[in-house]
Amino acid sequence: MWNLLNQDGPFPSDASRLAEPVSAGLSVLLTEGDDEAVLSWQERALCAQTDPEAFFPEKGGSTREAKRVCTACDVKAECLEYALANDERFGIWGGLSERERRKLKRRAV
């Protein structure tokens, strides 16, 4: 199984979550004591069953396939929250690219 934490280097699709502060979900992840429980979402992530290279495209490469996988993923929100809390700078996380996550963080501040 592919472990997202070992890589170098997305976002609720419904509009109602766009208005919700990103930090609201982060507090849940950051306050739980058991790291294994906090990261259990990775076992349910669809990206764990697909080609990891799609989630870390070359500069200028397409993110379309990774985002398509994220759209159907049940743990997309947890993935995005993890990426934001851990300042992941590379790859597609929770359906968002690096640039999209930076933009989201700027809006949240």
Side-chain angles (χ1 to χ4, degrees):
M1 180 166 88
W2 181 52
N3 183 347
L4 294 174
L5 294 175
N6 290 334
Q7 296 301 313
D8 297 326
F11 194 57
S13 60
D14 67 297
S16 65
R17 290 285 309 245
L18 291 174
E20 182 180 306
V22 173
S23 60
L26 293 177
S27 61
V28 173
L29 283 176
L30 297 175
T31 57
E32 292 189 29
D34 185 12
D35 288 342
E36 189 173 311
V38 173
L39 298 177
S40 67
W41 61 267
Q42 288 186 341
E43 294 175 4
R44 299 185 323 271
L46 290 179
C47 59
Q49 304 164 26
T50 60
D51 179 13
E53 293 202 16
F55 293 86
F56 296 91
E58 297 281 329
K59 185 171 182 152
S62 176
T63 60
R64 190 175 315 165
E65 183 58 34
K67 288 181 175 186
R68 188 179 336 207
V69 171
C70 292
T71 301
C73 187
D74 292 336
V75 296
K76 180 169 63 171
E78 290 92 332
C79 180
L80 177 59
E81 289 168 355
Y82 173 85
L84 293 172
N86 291 284
D87 200 26
E88 288 293 340
R89 302 212 176 174
F90 302 98
I92 305 301
W93 291 79
L96 295 182
S97 68
E98 308 92 68
R99 183 180 308 162
E100 292 164 328
R101 288 193 305 277
R102 282 193 307 269
K103 190 181 217 179
L104 179 65
K105 283 180 100 170
R106 280 194 304 268
R107 285 192 312 199
V109 173

